Amino acid sequence: MTHPDMNLLFVDNPSASAVFYARLLDTEPLESSPNFAMFKLRNGTVLGLWSKHTAEPRPSAQGGGTELGFHVAGR
């Protein structure tokens, strides 16, 4: 059975969002740059924060957006 293992949030400012989530989750990002930050949550799920200004393909959602990622074995 496949379970979502990644949540990707399109944000205005990944650096500022990373500070917020670091405090909320009480952990530091595994990866951080001006356009992207990534956290690994205690349950193994990954939380990505991607700049909505540099994401490709460009997100079209208004008022925020997200993607769910699924790891598929053997692919």
Side-chain angles (χ1 to χ4, degrees), residues 13-30:
N13 184 331
S15 297
S17 294
V19 170
F20 170 80
Y21 282 100
R23 288 181 187 151
L24 178 70
L25 301 170
D26 193 30
T27 189
E28 293 300 313
L30 294 175

Side-chain angles (χ1 to χ4, degrees), residues 3-46:
H3 300 282
D5 58 359
M6 181 178 185
N7 290 299
L8 182 60
L9 303 179
F10 298 109
V11 298
D12 188 53
N13 184 331
S15 297
S17 294
V19 170
F20 170 80
Y21 282 100
R23 288 181 187 151
L24 178 70
L25 301 170
D26 193 30
T27 189
E28 293 300 313
L30 294 175
E31 184 178 323
S32 184
S33 73
N35 295 318
F36 184 78
M38 181 174 64
F39 293 87
K40 187 160 190 175
L41 307 180
R42 288 182 181 93
N43 68 359
T45 301
V46 173

